[in-house]
Amino acid sequence: GESVGLHLPTLSVQEGDNSIINCAYSNSASDYFIWYKQESGKGPQFIIDIRSNMDKRQGQRVTVLLNKTVKHLSLQIAATQPGDSAVYFCAESGGSNYKLTFGKGTLLTVNP
Amino acid sequence: DAGITQSPRYKITETGRQVTLMCHQTWSHSYMFWYRQDLGHGLRLIYYSAAADITDKGEVPDGYVVSRSKTENFPLTLESATRSQTSVYFCASTQSTPDTQYFGPGTRLTVL
């Protein structure tokens, strides 16, 4: 069946380092991908998204890379800060266009 | 700009009782969603609505009822709460699909 998963359940980095969070998906029909950040006790917060006609998209300190050949998505956070500590989810949409399928999340911990 | 709000934020109830969780958005988004979030399962879609008076089941709809008489409100009712419905519930909305879904702060529900 369709699935969206993460390679690493936890990631610990030093403040100022760059972070990379990975995500694999299995639905080749997926055409929209999105990353969310969730802090403890809060709802998921939109970070960045990308559509399947793009390979890369940049935001403020964040970059999403999409490799459709191997069905892989990654989130890069530049100069990671303590405030970046949270759970990060990837999600994809394809086929049923109303629905987002979420991965289980990666916990990012930034050490000062 | 209030965005999307949920009430109550915390609720404790007993098995067999009816519980209604409220969701309100101020953006006039067409689509609204209810998810539950449990450890080990990530975010799972319960119900969604494409417009007022249009609702449909998601991945885990059993034991839940929704209605949408107004565009801005999307209440979720547990008709007879069970312990397995103990979870954190998130409401989300978006204007079009596939596109970014914006999440509320969540309701933590405990069924004793």
Side-chain angles (χ1 to χ4, degrees):
Chain A
E2 300 176 12
S3 67
V4 177
L6 297 172
H7 293 308
L8 297 173
T10 62
L11 178 64
S12 184
V13 300
Q14 291 298 122
E15 181 177 0
D17 288 352
N18 296 333
S19 302
I20 300 176
I21 301 172
N22 296 303
C23 182
Y25 64 95
S26 58
N27 183 4
S28 58
S30 296
D31 57 6
Y32 176 73
F33 305 86
I34 187 167
W35 282 99
Y36 284 95
K37 172 187 180 183
Q38 187 176 23
E39 297 174 281
S40 181
K42 296 184 179 180
Q45 177 185 3
F46 167 78
I47 301 173
I48 192 167
D49 60 1
I50 188 168
R51 298 189 187 272
S52 59
N53 61 351
M54 301 176 68
D55 297 322
K56 179 180 179 179
R57 191 170 188 208
Q58 290 184 293
Q60 188 173 11
R61 288 200 304 118
V62 294
T63 300
V64 55
L65 299 177
L66 176 62
N67 186 329
K68 295 180 286 291
T69 301
V70 296
K71 299 189 186 71
H72 184 267
L73 187 71
S74 69
L75 175 70
Q76 300 179 359
I77 305 173
T80 314
Q81 302 169 0
D84 295 327
S85 294
V87 175
Y88 290 81
F89 295 94
C90 64
E92 57 90 9
S93 180
S96 299
N97 63 5
Y98 65 87
K99 182 180 175 183
L100 287 179
T101 301
F102 288 85
K104 291 184 171 56
T106 290
L107 173 62
L108 174 65
T109 301
V110 182
N111 302 307
Chain B
D1 186 356
I4 185 165
T5 57
Q6 294 183 237
S7 62
R9 293 294 316 279
Y10 302 91
K11 177 73 176 178
I12 299 175
T13 190
E14 295 178 337
T15 300
R17 291 191 178 269
Q18 183 180 80
V19 177
T20 296
L21 309 183
M22 304 301 294
C23 179
H24 176 78
Q25 50 105 355
T26 60
W27 297 306
S28 298
H29 283 170
S30 296
Y31 294 84
M32 296 187 74
F33 306 83
W34 274 107
Y35 294 89
R36 59 177 291 172
Q37 185 175 42
D38 306 287
L39 285 175
H41 290 283
L43 284 158
R44 293 183 290 175
L45 182 65
I46 304 171
Y47 268 95
Y48 78 102
S49 169
D53 298 321
I54 300 175
T55 62
D56 207 348
K57 297 178 180 179
E59 183 184 355
V60 288
D62 293 344
Y64 303 95
V65 175
V66 293
S67 62
R68 193 161 176 213
S69 57
K70 294 184 178 181
T71 299
E72 61 267 29
N73 296 323
F74 191 37
L76 176 73
T77 298
L78 289 68
E79 293 190 302
S80 180
T82 65
R83 291 183 180 177
S84 65
Q85 293 176 310
T86 292
S87 187
V88 181
Y89 291 85
F90 289 101
C91 179
S93 72
T94 187
Q95 178 55 31
S96 62
T97 65
D99 208 333
T100 305
Q101 291 183 18
Y102 296 93
F103 284 79
T107 294
R108 183 174 294 276
L109 176 67
T110 301
V111 183
L112 301 176

